[in-house]
Amino acid sequence: MIERRPFESLGGANHGWLNAKHHFSFADYHDPARVHWGALRVWNDDTIAPNTGFPPHGHSDMEIITYVREGAITHEDSLGNRGRTEAGDVQVMSAGTGVRHSEYNLEPGVTKIFQIWIIPDRERAAPSWGAKPFPKGERSGQFVALASGLPGDEDALPIRTNARVLGATLKAGETAEYTIGKDRRGYLVPAAGEVEIDGVRLNARDGAAIRDVESFRVTALSDTELVLVDSAA
């Protein structure tokens, strides 16, 4: 089953400095049919105005993956980490026993991110943070693991959960296949461009909730950039 979740149907709030859209229940938005998808708990589509951002705040027991679509995000946390993650790159924070952090757009233009939260397999582990550049050329025509808790994904940023976050870029007319397994859940969003997933059309920033399929094929209708979460059900 592949269920399209149109961008227009997402919850959200516009705070001026932050325009946020929520694929799943978050903050003041609650939809009992969209609380999580397997271990995937949050997928926020955030547009952050220049020289603004999230002031220091705390998290615990959550794997938080930030995929930068445009601009850059500057991270600082109570562990002493500081880093700037640019468009196309990824950062991961394993909140574990607890960490405080801030995320600011210090760029002259807007920054656009996907913020993805995945429930960890174990709680109360030591917190950690990491970031990594992923040149788009390495993702051309295929899915590449960006963050993963699965064996065999040693080049990906580590997360403490039975899941992986993948990226792909496809030129118009190209296809990519992904084997997920019928016992797992997938959630795919085009960051840009339009695609078909086994005949189901997605526009940019639509979501596709995938289950009960062994594999699926994505066909690019225009040049596209894709982000996919594959998680335990």
Coordinates of all heavy atoms in Angstrom, one line a residue, residues 95-158:
A95 N 19.6 12.1 21.3 CA 19.4 12.9 22.6 C 19.6 12.1 23.8 O 20.1 12.6 24.8 CB 17.9 13.4 22.6
G96 N 19.4 10.8 23.8 CA 19.7 9.9 24.9 C 19.2 10.4 26.3 O 18.1 10.8 26.4
T97 N 20.1 10.5 27.2 CA 19.8 10.8 28.6 C 19.4 12.3 28.7 O 18.9 12.7 29.7 CB 20.9 10.5 29.6 OG1 22.1 11.2 29.1 CG2 21.1 9.0 29.7
G98 N 19.7 13.1 27.7 CA 19.3 14.5 27.7 C 20.4 15.4 27.1 O 21.5 15.3 27.4
V99 N 19.9 16.4 26.3 CA 20.9 17.3 25.7 C 20.1 18.6 25.5 O 18.9 18.6 25.1 CB 21.5 16.8 24.5 CG1 20.5 16.5 23.4 CG2 22.6 17.7 23.9
R100 N 20.7 19.8 25.6 CA 20.1 21.0 25.2 C 20.9 21.5 24.0 O 22.1 21.4 23.9 CB 20.2 22.1 26.3 CG 19.3 21.8 27.5 CD 19.4 22.8 28.6 NE 19.0 24.2 28.1 CZ 17.7 24.6 28.0 NH1 16.7 23.7 28.3 NH2 17.4 25.8 27.5
H101 N 20.1 22.1 23.0 CA 20.7 22.6 21.8 C 20.0 23.7 21.2 O 18.8 24.0 21.6 CB 20.8 21.4 20.8 CG 19.5 21.1 20.1 ND1 19.4 21.0 18.7 CD2 18.3 20.9 20.6 CE1 18.2 20.7 18.4 NE2 17.5 20.7 19.5
S102 N 20.6 24.5 20.4 CA 20.0 25.5 19.6 C 20.3 25.3 18.1 O 21.3 24.6 17.8 CB 20.5 26.9 20.0 OG 21.9 27.0 19.7
E103 N 19.4 25.8 17.3 CA 19.5 25.6 15.8 C 19.1 27.0 15.2 O 18.0 27.4 15.3 CB 18.6 24.6 15.2 CG 18.7 23.2 15.9 CD 19.9 22.4 15.4 OE1 20.5 22.8 14.4 OE2 20.3 21.5 16.1
Y104 N 20.1 27.7 14.6 CA 19.9 29.0 14.0 C 20.2 29.0 12.6 O 21.2 28.4 12.1 CB 20.7 30.0 14.8 CG 20.2 30.4 16.2 CD1 20.9 29.9 17.3 CD2 19.1 31.2 16.3 CE1 20.4 30.2 18.6 CE2 18.6 31.5 17.6 CZ 19.2 31.0 18.7 OH 18.8 31.3 19.9
N105 N 19.5 29.9 11.8 CA 19.8 30.2 10.5 C 20.5 31.5 10.5 O 19.9 32.6 10.7 CB 18.5 30.3 9.6 CG 18.8 30.9 8.3 OD1 19.9 30.9 7.8 ND2 17.7 31.4 7.6
L106 N 21.8 31.4 10.4 CA 22.7 32.6 10.4 C 23.0 33.1 9.0 O 23.9 33.9 8.8 CB 24.0 32.3 11.2 CG 23.8 31.9 12.6 CD1 25.1 31.6 13.3 CD2 23.0 32.9 13.4
E107 N 22.3 32.6 8.0 CA 22.5 32.9 6.6 C 21.8 34.2 6.1 O 20.8 34.5 6.8 CB 22.1 31.7 5.7 CG 22.7 30.4 6.2 CD 24.2 30.4 6.4 OE1 24.9 30.8 5.4 OE2 24.7 29.9 7.4
P108 N 22.1 34.8 5.0 CA 21.4 35.9 4.5 C 20.0 35.6 3.9 O 19.2 36.5 3.8 CB 22.3 36.5 3.5 CG 23.2 35.4 3.0 CD 23.4 34.5 4.2
G109 N 19.8 34.4 3.5 CA 18.5 34.0 3.0 C 17.8 32.9 3.9 O 18.4 32.6 4.9
V110 N 16.7 32.5 3.4 CA 15.9 31.5 4.2 C 16.7 30.2 4.2 O 17.4 29.8 3.3 CB 14.5 31.3 3.7 CG1 13.7 32.6 3.8 CG2 14.5 30.7 2.3
T111 N 16.4 29.4 5.3 CA 16.9 28.0 5.4 C 15.7 27.1 5.4 O 14.7 27.4 6.1 CB 17.8 27.8 6.6 OG1 19.1 28.4 6.4 CG2 18.0 26.3 6.9
K112 N 15.8 26.0 4.6 CA 14.7 25.0 4.6 C 15.2 23.7 5.0 O 16.3 23.2 4.5 CB 14.1 25.0 3.2 CG 13.4 26.3 2.8 CD 12.9 26.2 1.4 CE 12.2 27.5 0.9 NZ 11.7 27.4 -0.5
I113 N 14.6 23.1 6.0 CA 15.0 21.8 6.5 C 13.9 20.8 6.6 O 12.7 21.2 6.7 CB 15.7 21.9 7.9 CG1 14.7 22.4 8.9 CG2 16.9 22.8 7.8 CD1 15.2 22.4 10.4
F114 N 14.2 19.5 6.5 CA 13.3 18.4 7.1 C 13.9 18.0 8.4 O 15.1 17.7 8.5 CB 13.3 17.2 6.1 CG 12.6 17.4 4.9 CD1 13.0 16.7 3.7 CD2 11.5 18.2 4.7 CE1 12.3 16.8 2.5 CE2 10.8 18.4 3.5 CZ 11.3 17.6 2.4
Q115 N 13.1 18.1 9.5 CA 13.5 17.6 10.7 C 12.8 16.3 11.0 O 11.5 16.3 11.0 CB 13.3 18.6 11.9 CG 13.9 18.2 13.2 CD 13.7 19.2 14.3 OE1 12.8 19.0 15.1 NE2 14.6 20.2 14.3
I116 N 13.5 15.2 11.2 CA 12.9 13.9 11.3 C 13.3 13.3 12.7 O 14.5 13.3 13.1 CB 13.5 13.0 10.2 CG1 13.1 13.5 8.8 CG2 13.1 11.5 10.3 CD1 13.8 13.0 7.6
W117 N 12.3 12.8 13.4 CA 12.5 12.2 14.7 C 12.1 10.7 14.6 O 11.0 10.4 14.1 CB 11.7 12.8 15.8 CG 11.9 14.2 16.1 CD1 12.7 15.1 15.4 CD2 11.4 15.0 17.2 NE1 12.7 16.4 16.0 CE2 11.9 16.3 17.1 CE3 10.6 14.6 18.3 CZ2 11.5 17.3 18.1 CZ3 10.2 15.6 19.2 CH2 10.7 16.9 19.1
I118 N 13.0 9.8 15.1 CA 12.8 8.4 15.1 C 13.0 7.9 16.5 O 13.9 8.2 17.2 CB 13.7 7.7 14.1 CG1 13.6 8.3 12.7 CG2 13.4 6.2 14.0 CD1 14.5 7.7 11.6
I119 N 12.0 7.1 16.9 CA 12.1 6.5 18.3 C 13.2 5.6 18.4 O 13.4 4.7 17.6 CB 10.7 5.8 18.6 CG1 9.6 6.8 18.5 CG2 10.8 5.2 20.0 CD1 8.2 6.2 18.5
P120 N 14.1 5.7 19.4 CA 15.3 4.8 19.6 C 14.8 3.4 20.1 O 13.8 3.3 20.6 CB 16.1 5.5 20.6 CG 15.2 6.3 21.4 CD 14.1 6.8 20.5
D121 N 15.7 2.5 19.8 CA 15.5 1.1 20.3 C 15.8 1.0 21.8 O 15.2 0.1 22.4 CB 16.4 0.1 19.5 CG 16.0 -0.1 18.1 OD1 14.8 0.3 17.8 OD2 16.8 -0.6 17.3
R122 N 16.6 1.8 22.3 CA 16.9 1.8 23.8 C 17.0 3.2 24.3 O 17.4 4.1 23.6 CB 18.2 1.0 24.0 CG 19.5 1.7 23.4 CD 20.7 0.8 23.6 NE 21.9 1.5 23.2 CZ 22.4 1.6 21.9 NH1 21.7 1.1 21.0 NH2 23.5 2.2 21.7
E123 N 16.6 3.3 25.6 CA 16.6 4.6 26.2 C 17.8 4.8 27.1 O 18.5 3.9 27.5 CB 15.3 4.8 27.0 CG 14.0 4.7 26.1 CD 12.7 5.0 26.9 OE1 12.8 4.8 28.1 OE2 11.7 5.2 26.3
R124 N 18.0 6.1 27.5 CA 18.9 6.5 28.5 C 20.4 6.2 28.1 O 21.2 6.0 29.0 CB 18.7 5.8 29.9 CG 17.2 5.9 30.3 CD 16.5 7.2 30.1 NE 17.0 8.3 30.9 CZ 16.8 9.6 30.7 NH1 16.1 10.0 29.7 NH2 17.3 10.5 31.5
A125 N 20.7 6.2 26.8 CA 22.1 6.1 26.3 C 22.7 7.5 26.4 O 22.0 8.5 26.5 CB 22.1 5.6 24.9
A126 N 24.0 7.5 26.3 CA 24.7 8.8 26.3 C 24.4 9.6 25.1 O 24.3 9.1 24.0 CB 26.2 8.6 26.4
P127 N 24.1 10.9 25.2 CA 23.8 11.7 24.0 C 25.0 11.9 23.1 O 26.2 11.9 23.6 CB 23.3 13.1 24.6 CG 24.0 13.1 26.0 CD 24.1 11.7 26.5
S128 N 24.7 12.2 21.8 CA 25.8 12.4 20.9 C 25.3 13.3 19.7 O 24.1 13.5 19.6 CB 26.4 11.1 20.4 OG 25.4 10.4 19.6
W129 N 26.2 13.8 19.0 CA 25.9 14.7 17.8 C 26.9 14.4 16.7 O 28.1 14.2 17.0 CB 25.9 16.1 18.2 CG 25.6 17.1 17.0 CD1 24.4 17.4 16.5 CD2 26.6 17.7 16.2 NE1 24.6 18.3 15.4 CE2 25.9 18.5 15.2 CE3 28.0 17.8 16.2 CZ2 26.6 19.3 14.3 CZ3 28.7 18.5 15.2 CH2 28.0 19.3 14.3
G130 N 26.5 14.5 15.4 CA 27.4 14.4 14.3 C 26.8 14.9 13.1 O 25.6 15.1 13.0
A131 N 27.6 15.3 12.1 CA 27.2 15.9 10.8 C 28.1 15.4 9.7 O 29.3 15.1 10.0 CB 27.2 17.4 10.9
K132 N 27.6 15.3 8.5 CA 28.4 14.8 7.4 C 27.9 15.4 6.1 O 26.7 15.5 5.9 CB 28.2 13.3 7.4 CG 29.2 12.6 6.4 CD 29.1 11.1 6.6 CE 30.1 10.4 5.7 NZ 30.1 8.9 5.8
P133 N 28.8 15.8 5.2 CA 28.4 16.2 3.9 C 28.1 15.0 3.0 O 28.8 14.0 3.1 CB 29.6 17.0 3.4 CG 30.8 16.4 4.1 CD 30.3 15.9 5.4
F134 N 27.1 15.0 2.2 CA 26.7 14.0 1.3 C 26.6 14.6 -0.1 O 25.5 15.1 -0.5 CB 25.4 13.3 1.7 CG 25.6 12.4 2.8 CD1 25.3 12.8 4.1 CD2 26.1 11.1 2.7 CE1 25.5 12.0 5.2 CE2 26.2 10.2 3.8 CZ 25.9 10.7 5.0
P135 N 27.6 14.7 -0.9 CA 27.5 15.3 -2.2 C 26.4 14.6 -3.1 O 26.3 13.4 -3.1 CB 28.9 15.1 -2.9 CG 29.8 14.9 -1.7 CD 29.0 14.2 -0.6
K136 N 25.6 15.4 -3.7 CA 24.5 14.9 -4.4 C 24.9 13.9 -5.5 O 24.1 13.0 -5.9 CB 23.6 16.0 -5.0 CG 22.8 16.8 -4.0 CD 21.9 17.8 -4.6 CE 21.0 18.5 -3.6 NZ 21.8 19.2 -2.6
G137 N 26.1 14.1 -6.1 CA 26.5 13.2 -7.1 C 26.6 11.7 -6.7 O 26.3 10.8 -7.5
E138 N 26.9 11.5 -5.4 CA 26.9 10.1 -4.9 C 25.6 9.5 -4.8 O 25.4 8.3 -4.6 CB 27.6 10.1 -3.5 CG 29.1 10.6 -3.6 CD 29.8 10.6 -2.2 OE1 29.1 10.1 -1.3 OE2 30.9 11.0 -2.2
R139 N 24.5 10.3 -4.8 CA 23.1 9.8 -4.7 C 22.4 9.8 -6.1 O 21.2 9.6 -6.1 CB 22.3 10.7 -3.7 CG 22.8 10.6 -2.3 CD 21.9 11.5 -1.4 NE 22.7 12.7 -1.1 CZ 22.1 13.9 -0.9 NH1 20.8 14.0 -1.0 NH2 22.8 14.9 -0.5
S140 N 23.2 10.1 -7.1 CA 22.5 10.2 -8.4 C 22.1 8.8 -8.9 O 22.8 7.9 -9.0 CB 23.6 10.8 -9.4 OG 23.0 10.9 -10.7
G141 N 20.7 8.7 -9.1 CA 20.2 7.5 -9.6 C 20.0 6.4 -8.7 O 19.5 5.3 -9.1
Q142 N 20.2 6.6 -7.4 CA 20.1 5.5 -6.4 C 19.9 6.1 -5.0 O 20.3 7.2 -4.7 CB 21.3 4.6 -6.4 CG 22.6 5.4 -6.0 CD 23.8 4.5 -6.0 OE1 23.7 3.3 -6.0 NE2 25.0 5.1 -6.1
F143 N 19.3 5.2 -4.1 CA 19.2 5.6 -2.7 C 20.5 5.3 -2.0 O 21.0 4.2 -2.1 CB 18.0 4.8 -2.1 CG 16.7 5.4 -2.5 CD1 15.9 4.7 -3.5 CD2 16.2 6.5 -1.9 CE1 14.7 5.2 -3.8 CE2 14.9 7.0 -2.3 CZ 14.2 6.3 -3.3
V144 N 20.9 6.3 -1.2 CA 22.1 6.1 -0.4 C 21.8 6.4 1.1 O 21.1 7.4 1.4 CB 23.2 7.1 -0.9 CG1 24.4 7.1 0.1 CG2 23.7 6.8 -2.3
A145 N 22.2 5.5 2.0 CA 22.0 5.7 3.4 C 22.7 6.9 3.9 O 23.9 7.1 3.8 CB 22.4 4.5 4.2
L146 N 22.0 7.9 4.5 CA 22.5 9.1 5.1 C 22.7 8.9 6.6 O 23.7 9.4 7.2 CB 21.6 10.3 4.9 CG 21.2 10.5 3.4 CD1 20.2 11.6 3.3 CD2 22.4 10.7 2.5
A147 N 21.8 8.3 7.3 CA 21.9 8.0 8.7 C 21.2 6.6 8.9 O 20.2 6.3 8.3 CB 21.1 9.0 9.5
S148 N 21.8 5.8 9.7 CA 21.4 4.4 9.8 C 21.8 3.7 11.1 O 22.9 4.0 11.7 CB 21.9 3.6 8.6 OG 21.5 2.2 8.7
G149 N 20.9 2.9 11.6 CA 21.2 1.9 12.7 C 21.3 0.5 12.2 O 21.2 -0.4 13.0
L150 N 21.3 0.3 10.9 CA 21.3 -1.1 10.3 C 22.7 -1.5 9.9 O 23.5 -0.7 9.5 CB 20.4 -1.1 9.1 CG 18.9 -0.7 9.4 CD1 18.1 -0.8 8.1 CD2 18.3 -1.6 10.4
P151 N 23.0 -2.8 10.0 CA 24.3 -3.3 9.6 C 24.5 -3.1 8.1 O 23.6 -3.1 7.3 CB 24.3 -4.8 10.0 CG 22.8 -5.1 10.1 CD 22.1 -3.9 10.5
G152 N 25.8 -2.8 7.8 CA 26.2 -2.6 6.4 C 26.1 -1.2 5.9 O 26.5 -0.9 4.8
D153 N 25.7 -0.3 6.8 CA 25.6 1.2 6.4 C 26.7 1.9 7.1 O 26.5 3.0 7.7 CB 24.2 1.7 6.8 CG 23.1 1.2 5.9 OD1 23.4 0.7 4.8 OD2 22.0 1.3 6.3
E154 N 27.9 1.4 7.1 CA 29.0 2.0 7.9 C 29.4 3.5 7.4 O 29.9 4.2 8.2 CB 30.3 1.2 7.8 CG 30.2 -0.1 8.7 CD 29.3 -1.2 8.1 OE1 29.0 -1.1 6.9 OE2 28.9 -2.1 8.9
D155 N 29.0 3.8 6.2 CA 29.3 5.2 5.7 C 28.3 6.2 6.2 O 28.5 7.4 6.0 CB 29.4 5.2 4.2 CG 30.7 4.5 3.7 OD1 31.6 4.3 4.5 OD2 30.7 4.0 2.5
A156 N 27.2 5.8 6.7 CA 26.1 6.7 7.2 C 26.4 7.1 8.6 O 27.1 6.5 9.4 CB 24.8 6.0 7.1
L157 N 25.8 8.3 8.9 CA 25.8 8.7 10.3 C 25.1 7.7 11.2 O 24.0 7.2 10.8 CB 25.2 10.1 10.5 CG 26.0 11.3 9.9 CD1 25.1 12.5 9.7 CD2 27.2 11.6 10.8
P158 N 25.6 7.3 12.4 CA 24.9 6.3 13.2 C 23.7 6.8 13.9 O 23.7 8.0 14.4 CB 26.0 5.9 14.2 CG 26.9 7.1 14.3 CD 26.9 7.7 12.9

